[in-house]
């Protein structure tokens, strides 16, 4: 490596370390407990399974796919030697941050290589910036575990399609969203048969293992576990109801059943019920558009990234849940887009960075005021949700403008 390349690599890796350290520390000091799920939810689940008690997703219903328990158990094991120094919760928090950072480190190394490709280096800087702008929610949620799997899987789709699809399928059994990258690849990339066999084989092996462990009734319970939930306050569709709450015509209430804040207003339940079929229709329409463009002979390098980003964004926009960590789903498609087609990826990358910053301003910085239905945080959240719609429109526009070979 030349001196310039060495200096570039040193600066990039130093930024990676500093970004993760900063975000990890912010989780301890910012309001609204941005790392609360890790110790209040993940740790008890892991402790129960490790001690021979109830195993979520196996012996009892669970909102996540079953493989989500594996990183929780891994953090439980890493935390064991830290407990005497930091206590049970402190040790588990540090262990979780280390686990996510190691996963990101592996994906970052795959992305940047020897730091000789300007497009990959630019994508790496984008990732660091997005992590800092989104804040601790980018680290202290189960979604953070799926990001490196999605990044590596997306980058390997062309050279190692079987391994890539296996990684993405494993990611989908942790949190469903990487399945959007699987679907996009099956539409856009020509070597579909090998990828389909790899994805189906991985999913089948996981399902068989879970059945052998006793998850017969709960095997696909995560698909229906939240069908009856209401409209979460941060969901895009909840935006009009939040303004009604500002005016005093609606309210925000905490659901102890699903541990989140929801909108209570006339019509909110009907909107929540309608969003699931709307999501299915949106995904089907985007896949149909992708198939149409693929049949026109467009280059997969130009079609795959915007199609993947459109599908992931649609999952967020049409979701009755609007959790802030959903913004991490956008990182892998944009990283891939910056690597394969940087010129067309600049606008989506800028939009995602803005979405991360606005989400950080809402949670955790302005969350207490949001729960009081104050106008300023509701306005910030409304802008964030509007930008999600802009990002979806920009992605669809990019799909339509992919040049035909």
């Amino acid at each position: 490596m030349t001196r310039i390349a060495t200096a570039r690599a040193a600066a990039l890796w130093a930024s990676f370390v500093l970004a993760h350290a900063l975000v990890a520390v912010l989780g301890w000091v910012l309001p609204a407990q941005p790392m609360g799920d890790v110790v209040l939810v993940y740790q008890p689940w892991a402790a129960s399974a490790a001690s021979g008690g109830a195993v979520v997703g196996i012996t009892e219903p669970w909102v996540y796919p079953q493989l989500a328990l594996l990183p929780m158990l891994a953090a439980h094991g890493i935390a064991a030697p830290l407990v005497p120094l930091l206590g049970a919760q402190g040790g588990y928090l540090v262990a979780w941050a280390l686990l996510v950072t190691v996963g990101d480190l592996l994906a970052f190394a795959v992305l940047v290589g020897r730091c000789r490709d300007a497009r990959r280096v630019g994508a790496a800087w984008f990732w660091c910036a997005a992590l800092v702008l989104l804040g601790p929610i980018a680290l202290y949620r189960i979604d953070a575990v799926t990001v490196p799997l999605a990044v590596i899987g997306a980058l390997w789709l062309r050279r190692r399609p079987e391994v890539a699809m296996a990684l993405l399928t494993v990611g989908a059994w942790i949190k469903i969203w990487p399945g959007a990258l699987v679907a996009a690849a099956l539409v856009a990339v020509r070597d579909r048969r090998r990828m389909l066999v790899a994805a189906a084989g991985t999913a089948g092996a996981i399902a068989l293992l879970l059945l052998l462990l006793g998850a017969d009734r709960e095997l696909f319970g995560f698909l229906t576990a939240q069908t009856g939930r209401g409209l979460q306050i941060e969901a895009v569709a909840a935006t009009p109801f939040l303004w009604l709450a500002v005016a005093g015509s609606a309210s925000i209430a905490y659901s102890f059943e699903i541990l989140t804040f929801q909108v209570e207003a006339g019509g909110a339940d009907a909107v929540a019920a309608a969003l699931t079929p709307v999501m299915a229709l949106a995904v089907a329409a985007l896949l149909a558009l992708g198939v149409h463009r693929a049949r026109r002979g467009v280059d997969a390098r130009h079609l795959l990234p915007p199609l993947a980003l459109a599908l992931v964004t649609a999952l967020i926009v049409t979701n009755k849940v609007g959790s802030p960590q959903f913004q991490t789903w956008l990182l892998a498609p944009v990283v891939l887009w910056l690597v394969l087609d940087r010129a067309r990826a600049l606008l989506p990358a800028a939009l995602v960075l803005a979405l991360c910053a606005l989400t950080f301003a809402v949670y955790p910085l302005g969350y207490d005021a949001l729960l009081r239905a104050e106008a300023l945080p509701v306005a910030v959240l409304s802008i964030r949700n509007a930008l999600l719609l802009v990002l979806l429109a920009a992605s669809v526009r990019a799909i339509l403008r992919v040049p035909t070979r």
Side-chain angles (χ1 to χ4, degrees), residues 107-261:
F108 205 75
V110 170
L111 172 61
V112 301
R114 296 184 178 182
C115 296
R116 292 178 177 175
D117 189 325
R119 295 170 302 175
R120 288 176 173 263
V121 170
W125 282 116
F126 161 81
W127 190 357
C128 290
L131 184 70
V132 173
L133 290 174
L134 186 53
I137 200 67
L139 197 70
Y140 292 109
R141 289 295 187 275
I142 188 63
D143 306 68
V145 177
T146 61
V147 172
L149 291 174
V151 169
I152 297 174
L155 293 173
W156 282 357
L157 277 171
R158 297 183 67 198
R159 294 186 177 182
R160 302 177 179 88
E162 294 93 348
V163 178
M165 293 300 274
L167 287 173
L168 292 173
T169 304
V170 169
W173 276 92
I174 296 175
K175 200 73 187 285
I176 298 174
W177 75 269
L181 301 185
V182 173
L186 291 175
V187 168
V189 181
R190 289 190 173 186
D191 199 0
R192 298 180 184 91
R193 182 175 299 178
R194 293 167 61 193
M195 293 192 302
L196 181 59
V197 169
T202 303
I206 293 172
L208 178 60
L209 177 60
L210 293 173
L211 287 173
L212 292 175
L213 291 173
D216 49 351
R217 294 182 180 178
E218 308 301 336
L219 184 60
F220 298 109
F222 59 90
L223 295 175
T224 57
Q226 302 190 62
T227 53
R229 72 180 296 166
L231 192 61
Q232 187 177 340
I233 59 173
E234 293 146 290
V236 173
T239 306
F241 297 104
L242 286 180
W243 285 108
L244 290 177
V246 172
S249 301
S251 62
I252 295 172
Y254 186 75
S255 171
F256 289 94
E257 181 181 357
I258 55 175
L259 307 178
T260 190
F261 288 93

Side-chain angles (χ1 to χ4, degrees), residues 20-90:
H20 282 77
L22 174 63
V23 170
V25 171
L26 287 177
W28 292 69
V29 300
L30 290 178
Q33 285 189 307
M35 75 298 197
D37 279 17
V38 175
V39 290
L40 299 178
V41 184
Y42 303 168
Q43 185 183 22
W45 284 334
S48 175
S51 62
V55 181
V56 286
I58 303 293
T59 63
E60 62 180 59
W62 203 26
V63 295
Y64 297 136
Q66 287 84 349
L67 292 193
L69 186 60
L70 294 182
M72 299 175 190
L73 286 170
H76 183 78
I78 297 170
L82 302 175
V83 171
L85 296 174
L86 303 172
Q89 289 193 345

